[in-house]
Amino acid sequence: MTDFIKKYIDVNNLEGILLYCLIMLFISWFFSLIFRQLLILFLNRSKKKGIRNLTSLNFTKNSIRFIFFIIAFILIIGTVPFLRKQALLIFSGAGIIAAIIGFAAQAAIANLIAGVFIVMFKPFRIGDYIKLDKERVGIVTDITLRHTVINTFENKRLIIPNSIISTESILNHTIEESKVLSFNNLKVGLNADIDLVRKIILEEAEKLEFSTVDEKNVAEVRVIDIHESYIHIRAYIWISEPFQEFKMKCKFKERVHKRFLHENIEMPIPKRRIIS
């Protein structure tokens, strides 16, 4: 292909070199586009087979354009006499420049290697609900050569370099299954009927949209502690969609509070002793 192009283009002058580079880059872009479209077709067929294929194929799709442009760059350097001569001078006679280039590319190479490791060992995948800390929580939407994209619950895109996220401790809610056990803390008065409180909580737990309360996944209500002004109660509820947990907890506590008021359940009231 390069010999055919060089037959009609003089690569010994500046205009010919520029034209040759543009043609090679266009060919690279064209073939990368074809390969990306073929992968997208294969990706659409593979969605039914599981999300693991989606992660690997999406990463490969993101890598294709970069790989084709690297190949085009190497071909251009290797086939244009002037550029080949300059490249040999740089890499053979200018070790300092090569070292500077290598140091500048260190972060890019680290991100690339970390991205490959993420796809190979799969600590998380596209579509997983992950948590790095209190602020960095959301759904993985993309894994590229350089970074991982997380869509937060505020619908913001969090972009983290692969070299950083690969060294973080990650809580993955959906790596094996999406079901999680939700802890819901409640407080009632010291004289509240605990049996009635437990009955109300269990009834409201069964009504939740994402609750998986059944014979196998039984919701539990436990008395955690008794304080001087209230009883600390915790409800353990299995949830099928972990990224809906916060919304579920809000609805659950609101409904339970309304039931407590309706059933005249004693609410916690701080008690203070005034000494005059």
Side-chain angles (χ1 to χ4, degrees):
M1 176 67 74
T2 56
D3 292 337
F4 178 79
I5 297 173
K6 288 169 64 178
K7 182 179 179 181
Y8 298 97
I9 299 175
D10 184 9
V11 293
N12 294 312
N13 57 67
L14 182 59
E15 293 79 5
I17 292 174
L18 290 175
L19 182 59
Y20 178 74
C21 291
L22 288 174
I23 292 174
M24 290 297 294
L25 291 174
F26 175 78
I27 292 173
S28 173
W29 171 81
F30 179 74
F31 277 100
S32 69
L33 184 64
I34 291 176
F35 270 81
R36 281 169 62 90
Q37 292 302 319
L38 290 175
L39 264 178
I40 289 172
L41 291 175
F42 183 64
L43 180 66
N44 291 332
R45 293 181 181 180
S46 301
K47 282 183 179 178
K48 298 180 180 179
K49 298 179 181 180
I51 200 165
R52 294 179 184 271
N53 290 334
L54 175 62
T55 302
S56 301
L57 289 173
N58 210 48
F59 181 81
T60 306
K61 182 187 71 174
N62 291 329
S63 308
I64 284 176
R65 183 175 297 172
F66 174 79
I67 293 170
F68 269 89
F69 276 109
I70 290 295
I71 293 172
F73 178 77
I74 293 172
L75 287 175
I76 290 171
I77 295 296
T79 55
V80 177
F82 173 77
L83 296 178
R84 183 169 64 247
K85 182 179 178 180
Q86 297 303 315
L88 290 174
L89 288 174
I90 290 174
F91 288 104
S92 62
I96 297 177
I97 296 176
I100 292 172
I101 294 173
F103 181 78
Q106 184 177 2
I109 294 172
N111 287 324
L112 174 60
I113 294 174
V116 173
F117 283 168
I118 289 171
V119 173
M120 287 177 58
F121 298 106
K122 300 179 177 65
F124 55 85
R125 304 152 299 176
I126 292 176
D128 279 3
Y129 167 33
I130 66 173
K131 178 179 180 180
L132 282 71
D133 50 43
K134 291 182 179 180
E135 288 76 29
R136 297 180 293 178
V137 182
I139 309 297
V140 179
T141 58
D142 199 6
I143 303 173
T144 70
L145 288 170
R146 180 189 175 276
H147 57 260
T148 297
V149 181
I150 299 174
N151 188 21
T152 68
F153 297 124
E154 297 174 337
N155 201 30
K156 298 177 181 178
R157 300 298 185 274
L158 182 61
I159 299 173
I160 305 175
N162 290 331
S163 59
I164 293 177
I165 198 170
S166 63
T167 59
E168 294 276 356
S169 297
I170 299 172
L171 177 62
N172 192 329
H173 290 275
T174 50
I175 192 167
E176 294 296 337
E177 60 177 346
S178 61
K179 184 176 65 176
V180 295
L181 182 60
S182 175
F183 289 9
N184 299 268
N185 295 304
L186 302 162
K187 296 177 182 179
V188 295
L190 291 174
N191 297 318
D193 186 340
I194 295 179
D195 292 331
L196 179 57
V197 167
R198 180 178 286 107
K199 177 176 178 293
I200 292 171
I201 292 174
L202 292 176
E203 288 177 355
E204 295 302 324
E206 293 178 358
K207 298 176 184 178
L208 291 172
E209 181 181 358
F210 299 102
S211 171
T212 60
V213 176
D214 52 27
E215 294 180 358
K216 295 183 179 179
N217 303 309
V218 180
E220 294 187 60
V221 179
R222 299 174 184 171
V223 175
I224 301 301
D225 203 353
I226 300 176
H227 298 266
E228 60 180 7
S229 60
Y230 66 89
I231 300 173
H232 180 190
I233 292 177
R234 180 176 296 164
Y236 301 83
I237 306 172
W238 287 99
I239 305 298
S240 60
E241 297 292 339
F243 43 87
Q244 297 288 343
E245 183 185 7
F246 179 75
K247 184 188 295 185
M248 183 282 304
K249 289 168 77 78
C250 294
K251 288 184 178 179
F252 174 71
K253 290 182 179 180
E254 178 183 348
R255 293 173 182 176
V256 168
H257 181 72
K258 289 179 179 178
R259 283 286 305 276
F260 282 175
L261 295 178
H262 183 265
E263 300 288 344
N264 295 320
I265 298 295
E266 182 184 349
M267 304 304 289
I269 300 174
K271 295 181 180 180
R272 294 180 176 86
R273 179 181 295 178
I274 300 175
I275 301 177
S276 57

